[in-house]
């Protein structure tokens, strides 16, 4: 193909845009990067409640709480860790969602305010890669749900011969089910964010019904709640304390993705207060209820089968052994189908949309949120995700390592909005390479943010080496066990300190949530909002009061 032909193909692949835009303008903006227009701000308070109820009902939530009991905690100690972990992480979600709900911009654009127009590309790339990896992991779990559902319908599915080599890490029937889940997920990626809320509404109704049905069914079969409820902790003293810390950090690490990209969904909020109390309440409540159901179901399984079956899908699979009745097969089919919806909703909310927003910011000329979601799906199938789920220890280690990078990004973003800029944005400067713009910094990179980001990672590096099998000091291990807080805290402190010593353009001394795009930028340094002509500023604080 000639060079002219290649250019023609590339031109056809471009997303729709104004033909008069320069290359730099096309790099900074497309329809999915610009502020969300009013007609697409459709997420009300109950949509956020439904979103988190839907997100909490997934296999991943069960796996985390099961790892706590397997670690040696009693059921009530594990449940306390769940309440504390998700209760602590909810305010971080609300804090980082705020600029999205106020200015209706997504995570990649919010990241420009703290990291710079070009400096934001690395955090966005980091988050995008993780979203693609997680897409594959959640799809692999969803594939196991498909297998159980198919087996309930056609028991012969269990006898499909394997034609894959051992080096593949899977077998024919498991890969077939993974591929089917991957395939049925593709239509959901097509829907835009402001419409996909209906999926979460359906999930918030169907999946809790299935979960409660599963809960009651297991207690009836076991004639009680099972022995795990009466099982004491096998850990004591400081060992118990640090294992509880590690357990609640697993809950926080599980939410690190959604803390970082909280502006993506908040940008679609009808009004900012919809992102506050609904999330503060529904996050800890939803995840704690699901975790409790998981504990009781697994406890009941020990009475039924003589061993605790921690994976709900493995337990449903056992229900299909030994010639089950038609009623049992239907019950298993319904619950497995609900878990498929659960995994689908989680994958769309936490991964495909996140990856779509991130890849849009990296290649805005060719990628929009929809295309980015499909790219995440392709990466998810190519990375052989089932290898990450072979043991709960590997899974927990992956979660901890994951949060190290994202917590440092969140630390910079949250401190920039709430402490350095105190709610003041110049939205028009997010889409220009003008050297006088607030977010140009130094050649488009805010080195304060990068110094803080790297410091937040470095404090956990030694502990991370210990998690991979190296011998490290106990103190480093404990620091790493609290990786989200240490990474977030260090990055936030250093960013605030550097911003105080070397104030960036747009730093303010008084908190007021406002888009001051129509106000001339002041010189580098702290700027008191009293000096800003409020008649020229576009203040939004009056309409966003919570």
């Amino acid at each position: 193909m000639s060079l002219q032909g290649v250019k023609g193909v590339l031109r056809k692949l471009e997303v729709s845009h104004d033909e008069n835009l320069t290359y730099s303008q096309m790099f900074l903006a497309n329809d999915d990067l610009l502020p969300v227009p009013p007609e697409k701000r459709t997420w009300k308070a109950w949509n956020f409640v439904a979103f988190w109820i839907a997100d909490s009902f997934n296999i991943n939530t069960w796996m985390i709480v099961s790892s706590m009991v397997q670690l040696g905690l009693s059921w009530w100690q594990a449940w306390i860790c769940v309440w504390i972990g998700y209760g602590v992480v909810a305010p971080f979600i609300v804090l980082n969602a705020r600029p999205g709900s106020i200015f209706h911009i997504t995570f990649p654009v919010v990241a420009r305010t703290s990291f710079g127009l070009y400096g934001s590309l690395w955090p966005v790339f980091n988050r995008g890669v993780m979203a693609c990896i997680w897409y594959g992991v959640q799809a692999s779990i969803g594939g196991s749900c498909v297998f159980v559902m198919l087996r309930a319908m056609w028991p012969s599915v269990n006898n499909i011969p394997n034609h894959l080599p051992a080096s593949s890490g899977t077998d024919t029937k498991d890969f077939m089910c993974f591929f089917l889940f991957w395939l049925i997920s593709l239509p959901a990626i097509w829907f835009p964010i402001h419409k996909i809320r209906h999926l979460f509404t359906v999930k918030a109704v169907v999946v809790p019904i299935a979960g409660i049905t599963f809960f009651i069914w297991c207690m009836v079969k076991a004639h009680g709640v099972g022995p795990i409820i009466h099982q004491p902790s096998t850990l004591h003293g400081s060992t118990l304390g640090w294992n509880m810390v590690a357990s609640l950090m697993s809950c926080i690490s599980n939410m690190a993705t959604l803390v970082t990209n909280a502006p993506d969904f908040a940008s679609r909020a009808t009004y900012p207060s919809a992102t506050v109390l609904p999330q503060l309440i529904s996050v800890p409540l939803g995840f704690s209820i699901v975790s409790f159901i998981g504990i009781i179901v697994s406890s009941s399984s020990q009475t039924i089968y003589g061993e605790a079956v921690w994976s709900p899908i493995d337990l449903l699979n056992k229900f299909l052994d030994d010639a089950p009745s038609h009623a049992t097969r239907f019950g298993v089919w319904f619950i497995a189908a609900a878990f498929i919806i659960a995994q689908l909703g989680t994958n769309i909310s936490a991964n495909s949309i996140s990856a779509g927003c991130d890849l849009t910011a990296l290649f805005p000329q060719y990628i929009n949120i929809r295309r980015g979601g499909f790219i995440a799906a392709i990466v998810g199938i190519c990375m052989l995700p089932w290898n990450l789920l072979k043991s709960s220890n590997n899974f927990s280690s992956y979660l901890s390592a994951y949060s190290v990078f994202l917590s440092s990004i969140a630390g910079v973003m949250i401190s920039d909005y709430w402490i350095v800029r105190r709610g003041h944005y110049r939205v028009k400067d997010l889409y220009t390479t003008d050297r006088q713009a607030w977010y140009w910094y130094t050649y488009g990179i805010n080195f304060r943010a990068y110094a803080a980001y790297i410091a937040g990672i470095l404090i956990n590096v030694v502990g991370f080496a210990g998690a991979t099998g190296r011998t490290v000091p106990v103190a480093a291990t404990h620091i790493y066990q609290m990786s989200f807080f240490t990474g977030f805290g260090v990055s936030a402190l250093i960013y605030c300190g550097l911003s105080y010593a070397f104030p960036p353009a747009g730093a303010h001394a008084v908190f007021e949530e406002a888009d001051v795009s129509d106000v001339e930028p002041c010189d580098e340094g702290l700027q008191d909002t009293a000096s800003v002509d409020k008649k020229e500023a576009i203040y939004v604080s009056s309409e966003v009061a919570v």
Side-chain angles (χ1 to χ4, degrees), residues 118-132:
Y118 299 137
S120 65
L121 296 179
W122 169 248
V124 169
F125 172 78
N126 190 321
R127 175 66 187 95
V129 168
M130 292 298 184
C132 292

Side-chain angles (χ1 to χ4, degrees), residues 69 131 177 201 236 266 277 292-293 298 312 339 343 358 362 367 372 382 418-419 433 492 518:
V69 178
C177 295
T201 303
H236 304 282
L277 282 180
F292 179 74
I293 292 174
S298 300
F339 275 125
Q343 290 303 118
D358 298 338
L362 296 175
I367 298 178
C382 293
W418 292 95
I419 299 176
T433 55
D518 289 350

Side-chain angles (χ1 to χ4, degrees), residues 46-59:
W46 67 270
N47 291 122
F48 284 95
V49 171
F51 173 85
W52 287 112
I53 291 174
D55 192 73
S56 63
F57 273 89
N58 65 80
I59 310 299

Side-chain angles (χ1 to χ4, degrees), residues 16-96:
S16 62
H17 59 77
D18 190 334
E19 295 296 331
N20 298 320
L21 295 178
T22 65
Y23 179 77
S24 62
Q25 288 172 328
M26 285 190 292
F27 183 78
L28 292 175
N30 66 17
D31 288 345
D32 287 333
L33 289 174
L34 294 171
V36 178
E39 64 271 15
K40 293 184 178 180
R41 301 172 192 171
T42 57
W43 283 57
K44 298 182 174 62
W46 67 270
N47 291 122
F48 284 95
V49 171
F51 173 85
W52 287 112
I53 291 174
D55 192 73
S56 63
F57 273 89
N58 65 80
I59 310 299
N60 194 33
T61 306
W62 294 54
M63 293 173 68
I64 291 174
V65 73
S66 71
S67 67
M68 299 180 193
V69 178
Q70 290 174 319
L71 202 60
L73 272 61
S74 66
W75 78 270
W76 61 267
Q77 290 169 339
W79 204 37
I80 287 175
C81 291
V82 169
W83 273 104
I84 295 175
Y86 290 109
V88 166
V89 81
F92 289 95
I93 294 173
V94 172
L95 289 172
N96 207 33

Side-chain angles (χ1 to χ4, degrees), residues 124-198:
V124 169
F125 172 78
N126 190 321
R127 175 66 187 95
V129 168
M130 292 298 184
C132 292
I133 293 173
W134 265 107
Y135 187 97
V137 171
Q138 294 288 6
S140 182
I141 298 172
S144 64
C145 302
V146 172
F147 170 73
V148 173
M149 187 187 75
L150 292 179
R151 189 184 173 202
M153 298 167 67
W154 301 293
S156 58
V157 168
N158 197 41
N159 301 322
I160 294 176
N162 179 40
H163 299 289
L164 295 176
S167 59
S168 67
T170 185
D171 57 32
T172 300
K173 67 175 183 292
D174 287 341
F175 180 77
M176 177 193 73
C177 295
F178 166 80
F179 184 77
L180 286 174
F181 180 86
W182 182 88
L183 199 63
I184 63 176
S185 300
L186 298 183
I189 298 175
W190 181 264
F191 291 97
I193 298 178
H194 66 283
K195 291 184 178 179
I196 199 65
R197 71 189 191 280
H198 299 305

Side-chain angles (χ1 to χ4, degrees), residues 240 323 515:
L240 171 62
D515 177 3

